[in-house]
Amino acid sequence: MFDPLPAAAGRTSPWAFGRYEAVRHRLPEATFHTAPVFAEHLEDVADRFDGFVLDAFGVLNIGDTAVPDAPERMAALRAMGKRLVVLTNGATQPHAAAVEKYRRFGFDFAFEEVVSSREIAADHLEEVTSGALWGAACGPTDTFEDIEADVADLMADESLYERADAFLFLSSARWGPQHQARLASALARKPRPLVVANPDLVAPFETSLSLEPGAYAHALADQGLVEPRFFGKPFQEAFVAAADRLAAPPER
């Protein structure tokens, strides 16, 4: 049987690709209007585009390390007059902290050039369920000051498994099998909305793949416990937000 939440040793690239295929029915359908172009460097195709939407993990950085030459590559594109927007599914940190992280890596992205799935999800919480108390799977220092909703740390207050009107998955940094089992039981007893601010199944670190919120959410969906609402790549709201930041005409 295919394990949806394997231990670290089982999180291989073939497993990750297989798992994405297994949940394909919950992902947006991909359509391609042009043939792919292969190039050695972005500068080789830069004259064809007004700007670039950039992923973060695996593109700009791997874990806490910048991808070699990536800061210089971004600087070269900027010198060519290209617009740049980082569209990240990293939802653990507030926006300002995310921008500062990229600057530590040597990038010069401005505040408005970074779009995170955290802020996209936060913008839609009221739409999902109005006036809710949200129990959040989050990082250890999260204060939710950037989110205009009633959000509390699910792992700091276990009563939220029962009291919360809805659940918000921001980070898997502290999440484990015991939390997953408890959330599954809570949803089985009392179905409630689940918003996932990071649809990724895995993220690449220096020596391994991590399990991300999307992996846990799809496992719950496989059990028939919830239909998660995903915000972030590859879902439409993320690309709408990135296009708005690029300020490019729709026809471009």
Tab-separated table of all heavy atoms in Angstrom, residues 211-239:
chain	number	residue	atom	x	y	z
A	211	LEU	N	8.020	16.683	4.804
A	211	LEU	CA	6.585	16.580	4.552
A	211	LEU	C	5.950	17.934	4.825
A	211	LEU	O	6.105	18.498	5.906
A	211	LEU	CB	5.942	15.520	5.457
A	211	LEU	CG	6.108	14.056	5.074
A	211	LEU	CD1	5.432	13.167	6.111
A	211	LEU	CD2	5.545	13.770	3.685
A	212	GLU	N	5.228	18.457	3.864
A	212	GLU	CA	4.637	19.782	3.961
A	212	GLU	C	3.120	19.670	4.218
A	212	GLU	O	2.539	18.586	4.124
A	212	GLU	CB	4.933	20.574	2.697
A	212	GLU	CG	6.423	20.872	2.509
A	212	GLU	CD	7.007	21.675	3.663
A	212	GLU	OE1	6.404	22.706	4.034
A	212	GLU	OE2	8.054	21.268	4.207
A	213	PRO	N	2.466	20.786	4.538
A	213	PRO	CA	1.038	20.733	4.884
A	213	PRO	C	0.159	20.017	3.866
A	213	PRO	O	-0.789	19.323	4.240
A	213	PRO	CB	0.674	22.210	5.012
A	213	PRO	CG	1.921	22.827	5.557
A	213	PRO	CD	3.034	22.127	4.823
A	214	GLY	N	0.457	20.189	2.578
A	214	GLY	CA	-0.355	19.522	1.567
A	214	GLY	C	-0.392	18.017	1.728
A	214	GLY	O	-1.421	17.374	1.485
A	215	ALA	N	0.722	17.432	2.148
A	215	ALA	CA	0.773	15.979	2.331
A	215	ALA	C	-0.208	15.534	3.404
A	215	ALA	O	-0.940	14.547	3.242
A	215	ALA	CB	2.195	15.548	2.691
A	216	TYR	N	-0.227	16.266	4.514
A	216	TYR	CA	-1.135	15.918	5.613
A	216	TYR	C	-2.591	16.153	5.230
A	216	TYR	O	-3.480	15.366	5.587
A	216	TYR	CB	-0.764	16.725	6.852
A	216	TYR	CG	0.574	16.342	7.443
A	216	TYR	CD1	1.705	17.127	7.225
A	216	TYR	CD2	0.712	15.194	8.209
A	216	TYR	CE1	2.935	16.770	7.769
A	216	TYR	CE2	1.933	14.835	8.752
A	216	TYR	CZ	3.040	15.626	8.526
A	216	TYR	OH	4.251	15.265	9.061
A	217	ALA	N	-2.843	17.233	4.493
A	217	ALA	CA	-4.220	17.539	4.103
A	217	ALA	C	-4.769	16.497	3.138
A	217	ALA	O	-5.925	16.056	3.258
A	217	ALA	CB	-4.284	18.930	3.478
A	218	HIS	N	-3.960	16.080	2.170
A	218	HIS	CA	-4.423	15.057	1.230
A	218	HIS	C	-4.659	13.731	1.939
A	218	HIS	O	-5.570	12.980	1.565
A	218	HIS	CB	-3.413	14.887	0.095
A	218	HIS	CG	-3.476	15.968	-0.939
A	218	HIS	ND1	-4.547	16.113	-1.802
A	218	HIS	CD2	-2.596	16.960	-1.248
A	218	HIS	CE1	-4.324	17.148	-2.605
A	218	HIS	NE2	-3.155	17.674	-2.289
A	219	ALA	N	-3.854	13.424	2.952
A	219	ALA	CA	-4.070	12.186	3.711
A	219	ALA	C	-5.432	12.217	4.409
A	219	ALA	O	-6.144	11.210	4.442
A	219	ALA	CB	-2.947	11.990	4.725
A	220	LEU	N	-5.802	13.367	4.962
A	220	LEU	CA	-7.120	13.508	5.584
A	220	LEU	C	-8.237	13.385	4.538
A	220	LEU	O	-9.275	12.762	4.782
A	220	LEU	CB	-7.225	14.845	6.304
A	220	LEU	CG	-6.316	15.031	7.520
A	220	LEU	CD1	-6.306	16.487	7.960
A	220	LEU	CD2	-6.749	14.134	8.672
A	221	ALA	N	-7.997	13.985	3.368
A	221	ALA	CA	-8.998	13.897	2.298
A	221	ALA	C	-9.145	12.459	1.817
A	221	ALA	O	-10.255	12.011	1.498
A	221	ALA	CB	-8.600	14.811	1.147
A	222	ASP	N	-8.037	11.718	1.750
A	222	ASP	CA	-8.101	10.314	1.345
A	222	ASP	C	-8.984	9.503	2.290
A	222	ASP	O	-9.605	8.520	1.887
A	222	ASP	CB	-6.697	9.695	1.333
A	222	ASP	CG	-5.841	10.179	0.178
A	222	ASP	OD1	-6.395	10.787	-0.760
A	222	ASP	OD2	-4.618	9.951	0.216
A	223	GLN	N	-9.029	9.926	3.562
A	223	GLN	CA	-9.857	9.237	4.559
A	223	GLN	C	-11.323	9.672	4.493
A	223	GLN	O	-12.151	9.163	5.259
A	223	GLN	CB	-9.318	9.506	5.965
A	223	GLN	CG	-7.940	8.943	6.233
A	223	GLN	CD	-7.417	9.368	7.593
A	223	GLN	OE1	-6.597	10.270	7.720
A	223	GLN	NE2	-7.911	8.712	8.642
A	224	GLY	N	-11.629	10.619	3.620
A	224	GLY	CA	-12.994	11.097	3.495
A	224	GLY	C	-13.430	12.013	4.617
A	224	GLY	O	-14.630	12.219	4.826
A	225	LEU	N	-12.454	12.624	5.310
A	225	LEU	CA	-12.775	13.436	6.486
A	225	LEU	C	-13.019	14.899	6.156
A	225	LEU	O	-13.681	15.609	6.919
A	225	LEU	CB	-11.630	13.336	7.506
A	225	LEU	CG	-11.410	11.952	8.105
A	225	LEU	CD1	-10.127	11.923	8.933
A	225	LEU	CD2	-12.611	11.553	8.966
A	226	VAL	N	-12.496	15.381	5.038
A	226	VAL	CA	-12.581	16.810	4.729
A	226	VAL	C	-12.235	17.008	3.261
A	226	VAL	O	-11.527	16.179	2.659
A	226	VAL	CB	-11.609	17.615	5.633
A	226	VAL	CG1	-10.154	17.338	5.261
A	226	VAL	CG2	-11.909	19.109	5.589
A	227	GLU	N	-12.757	18.090	2.695
A	227	GLU	CA	-12.330	18.543	1.366
A	227	GLU	C	-11.541	19.823	1.580
A	227	GLU	O	-12.127	20.908	1.726
A	227	GLU	CB	-13.528	18.778	0.451
A	227	GLU	CG	-14.288	17.511	0.105
A	227	GLU	CD	-15.404	17.768	-0.877
A	227	GLU	OE1	-15.487	18.901	-1.405
A	227	GLU	OE2	-16.208	16.838	-1.111
A	228	PRO	N	-10.229	19.748	1.652
A	228	PRO	CA	-9.428	20.930	1.989
A	228	PRO	C	-9.569	22.026	0.942
A	228	PRO	O	-9.777	21.763	-0.250
A	228	PRO	CB	-7.993	20.393	2.013
A	228	PRO	CG	-8.124	18.903	2.095
A	228	PRO	CD	-9.396	18.565	1.401
A	229	ARG	N	-9.450	23.273	1.404
A	229	ARG	CA	-9.314	24.419	0.500
A	229	ARG	C	-7.838	24.791	0.458
A	229	ARG	O	-7.247	25.132	1.485
A	229	ARG	CB	-10.128	25.612	1.007
A	229	ARG	CG	-11.614	25.488	0.772
A	229	ARG	CD	-12.006	25.604	-0.703
A	229	ARG	NE	-11.532	26.816	-1.340
A	229	ARG	CZ	-12.173	27.984	-1.322
A	229	ARG	NH1	-13.323	28.095	-0.667
A	229	ARG	NH2	-11.679	29.032	-1.945
A	230	PHE	N	-7.249	24.682	-0.706
A	230	PHE	CA	-5.829	24.947	-0.878
A	230	PHE	C	-5.616	26.343	-1.442
A	230	PHE	O	-6.305	26.755	-2.385
A	230	PHE	CB	-5.209	23.926	-1.835
A	230	PHE	CG	-5.204	22.514	-1.314
A	230	PHE	CD1	-6.176	21.608	-1.723
A	230	PHE	CD2	-4.226	22.080	-0.433
A	230	PHE	CE1	-6.178	20.300	-1.264
A	230	PHE	CE2	-4.210	20.776	0.034
A	230	PHE	CZ	-5.183	19.885	-0.373
A	231	PHE	N	-4.647	27.063	-0.886
A	231	PHE	CA	-4.253	28.372	-1.411
A	231	PHE	C	-2.737	28.383	-1.584
A	231	PHE	O	-1.992	28.117	-0.640
A	231	PHE	CB	-4.703	29.494	-0.475
A	231	PHE	CG	-6.194	29.637	-0.399
A	231	PHE	CD1	-6.912	29.067	0.644
A	231	PHE	CD2	-6.894	30.304	-1.392
A	231	PHE	CE1	-8.289	29.177	0.712
A	231	PHE	CE2	-8.278	30.426	-1.337
A	231	PHE	CZ	-8.973	29.859	-0.285
A	232	GLY	N	-2.293	28.715	-2.777
A	232	GLY	CA	-0.881	28.647	-3.126
A	232	GLY	C	-0.742	27.884	-4.426
A	232	GLY	O	-1.729	27.368	-4.976
A	233	LYS	N	0.466	27.821	-4.955
A	233	LYS	CA	0.677	27.069	-6.189
A	233	LYS	C	0.284	25.610	-5.977
A	233	LYS	O	0.573	25.054	-4.927
A	233	LYS	CB	2.157	27.135	-6.599
A	233	LYS	CG	2.686	28.536	-6.785
A	233	LYS	CD	4.120	28.514	-7.323
A	233	LYS	CE	5.086	27.743	-6.443
A	233	LYS	NZ	5.323	28.380	-5.136
A	234	PRO	N	-0.385	24.955	-6.928
A	234	PRO	CA	-0.684	25.424	-8.285
A	234	PRO	C	-2.103	25.971	-8.446
A	234	PRO	O	-2.657	25.928	-9.548
A	234	PRO	CB	-0.531	24.134	-9.094
A	234	PRO	CG	-1.091	23.083	-8.163
A	234	PRO	CD	-0.666	23.513	-6.778
A	235	PHE	N	-2.700	26.479	-7.388
A	235	PHE	CA	-4.088	26.922	-7.452
A	235	PHE	C	-4.185	28.364	-7.948
A	235	PHE	O	-3.273	29.173	-7.765
A	235	PHE	CB	-4.758	26.722	-6.094
A	235	PHE	CG	-4.880	25.270	-5.733
A	235	PHE	CD1	-3.834	24.609	-5.098
A	235	PHE	CD2	-6.007	24.552	-6.080
A	235	PHE	CE1	-3.918	23.259	-4.800
A	235	PHE	CE2	-6.108	23.195	-5.787
A	235	PHE	CZ	-5.052	22.546	-5.150
A	236	GLN	N	-5.322	28.669	-8.568
A	236	GLN	CA	-5.465	29.888	-9.366
A	236	GLN	C	-5.191	31.168	-8.577
A	236	GLN	O	-4.569	32.101	-9.093
A	236	GLN	CB	-6.867	29.946	-9.971
A	236	GLN	CG	-7.088	31.164	-10.864
A	236	GLN	CD	-8.478	31.186	-11.468
A	236	GLN	OE1	-9.397	30.548	-10.954
A	236	GLN	NE2	-8.653	31.930	-12.541
A	237	GLU	N	-5.664	31.233	-7.336
A	237	GLU	CA	-5.521	32.476	-6.567
A	237	GLU	C	-4.065	32.922	-6.462
A	237	GLU	O	-3.771	34.114	-6.428
A	237	GLU	CB	-6.114	32.298	-5.171
A	237	GLU	CG	-7.624	32.094	-5.141
A	237	GLU	CD	-8.022	30.658	-5.265
A	237	GLU	OE1	-7.155	29.804	-5.556
A	237	GLU	OE2	-9.231	30.372	-5.072
A	238	ALA	N	-3.149	31.952	-6.410
A	238	ALA	CA	-1.732	32.295	-6.292
A	238	ALA	C	-1.237	33.025	-7.531
A	238	ALA	O	-0.510	34.021	-7.440
A	238	ALA	CB	-0.904	31.036	-6.054
A	239	PHE	N	-1.635	32.544	-8.693
A	239	PHE	CA	-1.138	33.149	-9.924
A	239	PHE	C	-1.824	34.484	-10.220
A	239	PHE	O	-1.224	35.378	-10.826
A	239	PHE	CB	-1.288	32.156	-11.071
A	239	PHE	CG	-0.462	30.921	-10.870
A	239	PHE	CD1	-1.039	29.756	-10.433
A	239	PHE	CD2	0.916	30.946	-11.067
A	239	PHE	CE1	-0.275	28.621	-10.206
A	239	PHE	CE2	1.694	29.833	-10.850
A	239	PHE	CZ	1.104	28.660	-10.413
